[in-house]
Amino acid sequence: MKQHLIWIAAAVMMTSACGDGKPAYDASGNFEADEVIVSAQQNGEILSFPVNEGDKLNAGQVVGQIDVTIPALQQQQVQASIRALHDKTNNPQPQALLVERQLLVQEAQLQQLYRERKRTENLVKSDAATQKQLDDMNAQVDQLEKQLNVTRQQRNLYNANIATQNRSILAEQGPLEKSMAQYAEQVRKGQVVNPVTGVVLSRYALRGEMASVGKPLYKIADIDTLYLKAYVTGVTLPKIKLGQTVAVRIDQGNKGYKTYSGVLTWISDKSEFTPKTIQTKNERANLVYAIKVRVKNDGYLKIGMYGEMLIHQP
């Protein structure tokens, strides 16, 4: 990489000159792209990976699968544990069911006694029944009401116990859900998802190999837009600014140059000395500044291709 930068910087100082002694261009360098190295996010055997160099992939496209059998089984195990907890909370205790049935029976009996007492009261008023019969009926109602109150207290006690047990059971659900989310994330990361739209530049893995977290699988770049990284001297620096439209050209052999319109997107805030091993003693004191020019690619521009920048359109 260092040697590469040396040759680029040297090209700035060793430019060909026009007839009047002025440089034929203002900066020169090589085209590059925003390259993304896609790495594995899970450990395991690569089950499928149909990616080839030169393939054009879309962002979000699934391009491979890593074996995630172990985390998938662990996820299923946690799901079964959560279902078992819900079964415990949804099934009341047998004692509670018995008390609830007893309460329903006693309430029905009490309603029947209320009706019998009302009928007896009417009979007493018409001298068809004695006061003792009414007193006996009131005693039965009073006794059953007391029994009903006791049964209700038992039901409330069972319900309180059940609620306490359910809270204890459901308290275990939170950690289990977190574990399930972790295993689900591991399963999701078993899919190799392409992050950006672009063309595959290099492939580093094959189906059947073992992948590990962080292992590079392939390199991809969006080549629809390339950047000419070049170097300008301190003399040229005051003539350029960010967002400025400049001309970029490439050599077309006998046809001369092919020219593109570019936009200056980056200017380094640090200067660099020109390579001492190439330049003459007088030129060694010169400083250069790295710049980047964004150029829309029509298909003829390639990564690494040499290009020249002209501040003024030719």
Side-chain angles (χ1 to χ4, degrees):
M1 182 66 182
K2 182 178 180 182
Q3 187 67 23
H4 179 65
L5 294 177
I6 290 176
W7 281 103
I8 294 177
V12 175
M13 307 305 302
M14 301 178 65
T15 58
S16 59
C18 298
D20 56 0
K22 295 182 179 180
Y25 46 84
D26 298 292
S28 64
N30 295 83
F31 288 99
E32 58 183 34
D34 291 333
E35 300 176 357
V36 177
I37 296 179
V38 181
S39 302
Q41 299 185 29
Q42 183 59 277
N43 300 320
E45 180 184 354
I46 301 177
L47 301 180
S48 65
F49 189 54
V51 173
N52 297 303
E53 295 177 353
D55 288 350
K56 186 169 184 179
L57 306 178
N58 296 320
Q61 180 178 345
V62 178
V63 297
Q65 178 65 53
I66 298 174
D67 184 19
V68 289
T69 302
I70 299 301
L73 292 174
Q74 292 171 327
Q75 181 186 10
Q76 295 174 9
Q77 182 179 8
V78 175
Q79 288 175 335
S81 299
I82 293 177
R83 286 195 298 268
L85 288 178
H86 283 288
D87 290 341
K88 290 181 181 179
T89 57
N90 293 331
N91 294 331
Q93 297 179 353
Q95 297 89 338
L97 292 176
L98 181 61
V99 171
E100 193 67 33
R101 295 194 191 99
Q102 184 179 357
L103 184 61
L104 293 175
V105 172
Q106 289 176 343
E107 288 177 344
Q109 290 175 346
L110 184 60
Q111 294 299 322
Q112 179 64 27
L113 284 178
Y114 283 153
R115 290 191 292 270
E116 290 292 333
R117 185 175 65 178
K118 184 66 176 177
R119 188 173 66 86
T120 304
E121 290 176 347
N122 294 331
L123 292 175
V124 170
K125 291 178 181 179
S126 60
D127 295 330
T130 64
Q131 183 63 37
K132 183 179 182 307
Q133 289 177 318
L134 181 58
D135 292 340
D136 291 341
M137 185 63 64
N138 287 331
Q140 294 181 26
V141 169
D142 183 63
Q143 182 181 4
L144 189 54
E145 286 178 342
K146 292 179 180 179
Q147 292 178 356
L148 188 59
N149 289 332
V150 172
T151 304
R152 285 172 177 168
Q153 291 176 359
Q154 291 178 347
R155 182 192 62 179
N156 294 337
L157 180 61
Y158 277 121
N159 289 339
N161 292 335
I162 292 174
T164 302
Q165 292 176 2
N166 287 346
R167 284 194 298 269
S168 176
I169 293 172
L170 293 177
E172 303 176 18
Q173 183 175 341
L176 289 174
E177 289 178 343
K178 295 295 183 182
S179 298
M180 187 173 67
Q182 292 176 357
Y183 293 133
E185 181 66 10
Q186 293 181 23
V187 172
R188 184 192 67 81
K189 289 184 176 180
Q191 282 190 330
V192 182
V193 181
N194 182 59
V196 296
T197 299
V199 174
V200 178
L201 303 180
S202 302
R203 184 181 65 176
Y204 307 121
L206 296 172
R207 183 176 65 87
E209 294 182 353
M210 289 299 297
S212 58
V213 176
K215 177 183 178 180
L217 300 177
Y218 64 97
K219 179 167 63 176
I220 188 171
D222 181 9
I223 61 174
D224 290 338
T225 300
L226 296 185
Y227 294 86
L228 176 66
K229 186 173 183 180
Y231 293 82
V232 299
T233 62
V235 176
T236 307
L237 190 63
K239 303 177 183 179
I240 59 176
K241 64 178 181 178
L242 292 177
Q244 181 177 349
T245 301
V246 296
V248 175
R249 67 185 186 185
I250 60 173
D251 190 4
Q252 277 196 319
N254 296 331
K255 297 182 180 180
Y257 294 99
K258 183 176 178 62
T259 304
Y260 298 84
S261 178
V263 177
L264 192 60
T265 59
W266 176 73
I267 301 175
S268 175
D269 59 349
K270 296 180 180 180
S271 60
E272 306 173 32
F273 284 102
T274 51
K276 296 181 179 179
T277 56
I278 298 178
Q279 302 304 320
T280 64
K281 182 177 180 180
N282 293 332
E283 292 173 331
R284 280 197 285 248
N286 291 333
L287 296 175
V288 292
Y289 296 81
I291 64 171
K292 285 186 179 181
V293 180
R294 184 176 65 241
V295 182
K296 187 69 176 178
N297 189 8
D298 60 356
Y300 290 101
L301 300 179
K302 310 296 188 299
I303 296 176
M305 178 184 288
Y306 174 80
E308 299 171 351
M309 183 201 77
L310 292 84
I311 295 177
H312 301 289
Q313 297 284 346

